[in-house]
Amino acid sequence: MGNSILVAKESDIVEVDALTFYTEFTSRRHLLQNATRVIPRELEHYQKNCKHFLMLRDHSAGLAIEQSGRIISVFNAGEYHHAGTVLLTKAINLGGNKLECFDVEQLRYIYMSNGFIPVSRYLCDLSDKEDLYLDFLKKEGRKNIYILFWIYRPMFNVYRKEDIVFRDVHIKTFETEEEAEKFRDKILKECSSLDKLSQELRDYLNTIIIIKQDKEKNKD
């Protein structure tokens, strides 16, 4: 009889303290795939800036939520399927509404399929030798390495995920992380409702987001 597939459920999630999260995360980091490898923050950062720490019961996967609603340190070093989905869903319910990641295909898939939109990006300084993950991407031969800034998209939940297409070529690129973050947070502030969006931001979102259903209607 073959091994059964482990599927994560919301009931598998537990809240832990900063020290437990930091210890369990750092002890499992070497198990992460290169494409999704995340560098843990300092324990002091977790203690001072985060309000929730979510992990599966076996501590094989988890994430942290900052006071600002920023989701950080998302990792899955175990064998549970859909761990990322149940953790992100729980994080959103607890106020998580934004995050950042390197622009790699696997991470894009994870976040897009869980309701996040990349709205700004920063072109990394390839001379930075202190970032181990950036060094890994450079060794892969990547010439342009971006950090994507995401927001959660509650106003698009009426559409099926497969009907939403992102044209990332239109995502605004900034010279510094601070500028990309500031622009993302501006959009997030106005994005609680489509009615609150300025025409400028509405037009911008329309350049990077296409609803397939709308395209089909326009053909008729």
Side-chain angles (χ1 to χ4, degrees):
M1 187 174 180
N3 294 331
S4 60
I5 297 176
L6 299 173
V7 179
K9 305 181 295 295
E10 184 179 358
S11 59
D12 294 319
I13 299 174
V14 295
E15 286 215 40
V16 299
D17 58 32
L19 179 59
T20 299
F21 181 84
Y22 174 80
T23 302
E24 297 293 340
F25 179 19
T26 53
S27 69
R28 288 171 169 78
R29 183 173 175 267
H30 68 284
L31 300 174
L32 299 175
Q33 297 179 20
N34 281 331
T36 58
R37 187 160 290 174
V38 182
I39 298 174
R41 306 299 178 97
E42 296 293 332
L43 175 59
E44 183 179 15
H45 180 92
Y46 293 127
Q47 293 172 326
K48 287 186 175 181
N49 297 289
C50 296
K51 58 181 179 178
H52 294 289
F53 304 92
L54 306 179
M55 303 191 87
L56 296 186
R57 292 185 185 278
D58 66 354
H59 296 168
S60 64
L63 56 79
I65 310 170
E66 293 184 339
Q67 301 288 346
S68 65
R70 183 185 181 201
I71 300 170
I72 63 171
S73 301
V74 183
F75 77 96
N76 182 7
E79 298 180 358
Y80 278 89
H81 290 247
H82 306 308
T85 294
V86 297
L87 285 165
L88 287 169
T89 299
K90 182 71 171 180
I92 290 164
N93 291 336
L94 291 172
N97 56 15
K98 59 183 179 179
L99 53 84
E100 299 94 47
C101 72
F102 280 105
D103 186 5
V104 295
E105 184 175 353
Q106 190 170 352
L107 294 176
R108 270 174 165 263
Y109 175 80
I110 291 170
Y111 295 129
M112 284 183 176
S113 63
N114 282 285
F116 288 84
I117 301 171
V119 294
S120 60
R121 63 183 180 177
Y122 157 68
L123 182 60
C124 296
D125 180 2
L126 297 183
S127 66
D128 186 354
K129 294 186 168 100
E130 295 183 2
D131 193 318
L132 297 177
Y133 187 66
L134 183 58
D135 187 54
F136 161 73
L137 292 175
K138 286 189 289 186
K139 288 179 179 177
E140 276 198 332
R142 301 272 301 264
K143 294 182 179 180
N144 293 320
I145 303 172
Y146 294 95
I147 292 178
L148 294 174
F149 291 74
W150 305 71
I151 62 170
Y152 179 60
R153 53 157 186 77
M155 77 289 293
F156 291 107
N157 281 347
V158 295
Y159 300 107
R160 298 182 305 166
K161 293 169 186 174
E162 56 267 34
D163 287 334
I164 299 176
V165 178
F166 299 97
R167 297 185 292 180
D168 60 345
V169 68
H170 295 287
I171 297 175
K172 287 189 177 182
T173 302
F174 293 86
E175 294 184 358
T176 68
E177 289 186 68
E178 291 75 16
E179 290 175 319
E181 181 177 11
K182 184 177 180 180
F183 181 78
R184 186 269 310 277
D185 289 349
K186 175 186 177 183
I187 292 180
L188 182 63
K189 186 176 181 180
E190 295 193 37
C191 247
S192 58
S193 169
L194 286 176
D195 295 334
K196 295 181 181 179
L197 282 178
S198 67
Q199 189 61 48
E200 178 184 2
L201 288 180
R202 188 188 298 271
D203 291 343
Y204 173 63
L205 289 178
N206 285 337
T207 66
I208 61 176
I209 301 169
I210 298 176
I211 307 300
K212 288 183 180 178
Q213 293 175 336
D214 292 347
K215 287 180 66 179
E216 294 301 320
K217 289 179 183 178
N218 292 335
K219 291 180 180 179
D220 296 336

